[in-house]
Amino acid sequence: MIRDKFWEKFKLNELNETEWEALCDGCGRCCLVKLQDEDTNEILYTSISCKLLDPETCRCTDYKNRMMKVPNCMKLTPNSITEFGYLPETCGYRKVYEGRPLEDWHPLISGDKNSVHKSGVSVAYKVYPEHKIEYDDIQDFIIEFDD
Ligand code: SF4
Ligand code: SF4
């Protein structure tokens, strides 16, 4: 069951499982290989994606078994969100945690699960799956988001 405008009325730890999953906008940004600047601790995203990310739909291709197949996949829960500083500013969980409104392109607002792709926020068709490319310097793949 999804309660009306639950993202405005409840805290993350008050959401039921269906609401929790619906809060993910499906951008796929958290599934990119990331680097951390040693000096500033800043998280740097790359255009290289986890082997389980579908580069077209931005969905995990084995969500149920992801923790077993990708040991460094971080499971997001209401209690762990404060530890997930790598989440992009646009992330639905981060926004609700920080008391910010969801964007118009969030599927919960638009009613269209593809609006995150149409808006250009998702990483669809912009990433290289890690098991399909070879590279000498991962720094060549560092990207910045416009939002
Ligand atoms: S960054 Fe947040 S909203 Fe985007 S896919 Fe990851 S968990 Fe979902
Ligand atoms: S295992 Fe799935 S959820 Fe975890 S980082 Fe990879 S694609 Fe994303």
Side-chain angles (χ1 to χ4, degrees), residues 18-66:
T18 308
E19 291 166 341
W20 177 262
E21 293 300 326
L23 200 49
C24 175
D25 57 43
C27 70
R29 290 182 173 186
C30 60
C31 303
L32 301 181
V33 175
K34 294 167 277 300
L35 305 172
Q36 187 163 26
D37 186 298
E38 284 181 2
D39 298 323
T40 64
N41 287 334
E42 182 188 3
I43 301 294
L44 305 169
Y45 291 84
T46 73
S47 55
I48 301 172
S49 62
C50 170
K51 64 181 180 184
L52 288 191
L53 187 75
D54 183 316
E56 297 178 5
T57 64
C58 297
R59 289 290 174 182
C60 183
T61 52
D62 198 354
Y63 192 67
K64 191 176 165 195
N65 300 308
R66 68 193 189 285

Side-chain angles (χ1 to χ4, degrees), residues 27 29-30 45 85-92 94-95 100 145:
C27 70
R29 290 182 173 186
C30 60
Y45 291 84
Y86 69 84
L87 289 173
E89 293 286 333
T90 53
C91 173
R94 186 163 179 169
K95 278 180 169 276
R100 291 183 287 132
F145 301 126

Side-chain angles (χ1 to χ4, degrees), residues 118-137:
K118 292 175 190 163
S119 70
V121 169
S122 87
V123 300
Y125 298 98
K126 299 174 190 164
V127 295
Y128 307 95
E130 61 182 345
H131 58 296
K132 291 193 175 170
I133 60 164
E134 291 181 10
Y135 51 87
D136 295 323
D137 190 349

